[in-house]
């Protein structure tokens, strides 16, 4: 499609389906400038590995004793307020159009922070869950982000082989880990030698990203980091 006609269709869509700010209801986009300035950002100092706010700025108490496969996890926001609402709209109210806005937030985080990356890999859903929801929200975000950052996205190599229960805040850490520990597998060697950046909407305990990292390291990737929009702090 020519650029002008793309612009034209966007104008038409905006006219008939105007977007409203999910924070304050203002018309014009899913996130107005004012609400964007007030997002629950995670500021340094944070844990070097899991990205959780941490006064010492080195490793948090959990990461000290943890021989992790994941090289690092970063999240620009706390899972709170407008960010929590945005993820909820995307996951449960089918508001796929909000993906663009969320991917832009991740893109500006990637630009401002040094995270090793050759390829983006969304955290996969189990096929049963995918069938039920119709789309993988992390894959939508990763594809948008890939376009913004000119990075390749591979979303059909890492597979979720076990349908584990969703993580909750109340699960004990080792229970969460046991829940997902062997849930993922790489179906081929396409990620071998690559710096993989896993993309997900929310990081709860880090157990899901760690389980993905185990599967990725089994095929010889050079590093695995995780970037999630938000984390339960
Ligand atoms: Zn607003
Ligand atoms: Zn930590």
């Amino acid at each position: 499609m020519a650029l002008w006609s793309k612009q034209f269709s966007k104008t038409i869509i905006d006219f008939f389906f105007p977007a409203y700010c999910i924070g304050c209801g203002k018309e014009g986009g899913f996130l107005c400038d004012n609400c964007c300035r007030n997002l629950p950002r995670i500021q340094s100092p944070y844990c070097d590995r899991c990205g959780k706010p941490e006064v010492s700025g080195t490793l948090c108490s959990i990461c000290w004793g943890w021989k992790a496969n994941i090289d690092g996890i970063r999240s620009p926001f706390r899972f709170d307020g407008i960010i929590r609402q945005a993820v909820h709209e995307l996951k449960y109210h089918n508001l796929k159009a909000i993906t663009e806005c969320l991917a832009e937030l991740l893109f500006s985080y990637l630009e401002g922070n040094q995270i090793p990356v050759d390829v983006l890999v969304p955290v996969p859903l189990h096929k049963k869950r995918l069938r039920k929801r119709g789309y993988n929200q992390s894959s939508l975000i990763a594809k948008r982000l890939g376009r913004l950052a000119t990075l390749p996205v591979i979303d059909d190599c890492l597979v979720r082989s076990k349908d584990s229960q969703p993580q909750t805040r109340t699960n004990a850490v080792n229970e969460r880990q046991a829940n997902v520990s062997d849930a993922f597998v790489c179906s081929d060697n396409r990620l071998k030698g690559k710096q993989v950046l896993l993309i997900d909407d929310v990081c709860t305990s880090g157990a899901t990203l760690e389980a993905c990292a185990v599967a990725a390291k089994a095929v010889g990737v050079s590093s695995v980091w995780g970037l999630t929009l938000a984390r339960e702090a």
Side-chain angles (χ1 to χ4, degrees):
M1 214 190 309
L3 191 63
W4 68 267
S5 84
K6 249 189 195 166
Q7 242 358 73
F8 182 67
S9 354
K10 191 180 174 308
T11 311
I12 296 279
I13 289 169
D14 287 348
F15 181 77
F16 287 106
F17 306 100
Y20 295 96
C21 173
I22 53 162
C24 66
K26 189 176 158 189
E27 192 179 326
F30 291 113
L31 199 56
C32 75
D33 291 346
N34 191 40
C35 289
C36 193
R37 273 190 296 272
N38 293 317
L39 291 175
R41 282 175 209 280
I42 294 179
Q43 316 273 16
S44 69
Y46 45 73
C47 170
D48 218 25
R49 186 182 291 148
C50 73
K52 189 168 118 178
E54 162 69 33
V55 214
S56 73
T58 53
L59 290 185
C60 73
S61 55
I62 294 174
C63 288
W64 265 118
W66 184 29
K67 267 196 83 196
N69 284 272
I70 189 103
D71 295 293
I73 301 173
R74 293 293 179 267
S75 322
F77 306 104
R78 275 182 290 112
F79 190 46
D80 207 356
I82 299 172
I83 289 294
R84 180 188 277 270
Q85 218 171 312
V87 169
H88 193 84
E89 294 291 337
L90 172 61
K91 267 166 112 163
Y92 305 111
H93 294 160
N94 208 14
L95 189 62
K96 283 182 252 178
I98 206 168
T99 312
E100 177 83 55
C101 163
L102 302 183
E104 274 168 17
L105 292 171
L106 283 180
F107 178 54
S108 73
Y109 188 82
L110 261 189
E111 279 190 313
N113 292 273
Q114 294 229 320
I115 301 179
V117 49
D118 297 322
V119 60
L120 302 177
V121 175
V123 170
L125 289 179
H126 187 264
K127 58 177 189 286
K128 242 164 55 189
R129 208 171 288 264
L130 183 62
R131 222 176 296 133
K132 219 164 136 192
R133 189 175 295 160
Y135 57 95
N136 175 359
Q137 73 284 353
S138 302
S139 185
L140 296 181
I141 296 174
K143 281 176 186 160
R144 280 282 174 198
L145 179 59
R147 242 169 280 162
L148 291 168
T150 4
L151 284 167
V153 180
I154 298 185
D155 71 347
D156 58 348
C157 173
L158 183 65
V159 179
R160 192 170 203 138
S161 49
K162 205 169 92 181
D163 190 17
S164 40
Q165 289 309 305
Q167 308 286 310
T168 65
R169 234 196 294 212
T170 48
N171 285 141
V173 174
N174 42 13
E175 193 184 321
R176 288 172 185 164
Q177 280 165 356
N179 195 11
V180 287
S181 64
D182 55 348
F184 300 91
V185 65
C186 279
S187 58
D188 55 57
N189 282 334
R190 269 178 294 161
L191 300 178
K192 191 175 174 184
K194 299 234 159 52
Q195 304 181 104
V196 170
L197 182 58
L198 299 165
I199 302 295
D200 209 356
D201 49 0
V202 184
C203 169
T204 304
S205 65
T208 303
L209 292 167
E210 169 63 11
C212 290
V214 171
K217 292 225 162 145
V219 296
V221 298
S222 85
S223 67
V224 194
W225 281 68
L227 177 64
T228 72
L229 186 71
R231 70 161 294 130
E232 303 251 23

